[in-house]
Amino acid sequence: MKESKMEANLYCIQCRDETPHVIFYINNRIKNVECEECHRIQGIKIDIMKEFYKEIYERISTKPARITQEYKQDLNKFLLKLPARAISKPYRLIRDLNNSRKVIKQFKN
Ligand SMILES: [Zn+2]
């Protein structure tokens, strides 16, 4: 899961003018938009857990069929077992999952 940001000039309801805004993204989906003049934050509702599961599903769907099957049967149980299983998996997956957890934590605060 990736966080990124972009700047753009948008119309701010509070400033009643076109001002520089910072747009924050999670996985290329807009999370919120902040006006740089008045710092008004426009939150966008995204289902963070749905994004997270979708991402994991996409990764796992290329893995052996047995794992995919287990994953479909009980996602929560699968996620609990994941750290042990991940030892034999590429380092990158673990790192990305840790990163995703960080993003989710920030988002929930
Ligand atoms: Zn503003």
Side-chain angles (χ1 to χ4, degrees), residues 17-55:
D17 203 359
E18 206 169 275
T19 58
H21 283 69
V22 185
I23 307 166
F24 295 90
Y25 294 89
I26 286 182
N27 280 359
N28 301 320
R29 293 188 61 175
I30 295 174
K31 183 179 82 171
N32 59 44
V33 181
E34 182 180 354
C35 171
E36 286 194 277
E37 295 288 321
C38 68
H39 298 284
R40 178 181 179 274
I41 293 173
Q42 172 81 52
I44 312 281
K45 274 192 182 174
I46 66 165
D47 190 336
I48 190 76
M49 292 319 284
K50 205 170 131 195
E51 284 295 306
F52 180 57
Y53 289 151
K54 202 176 78 189
E55 180 177 314

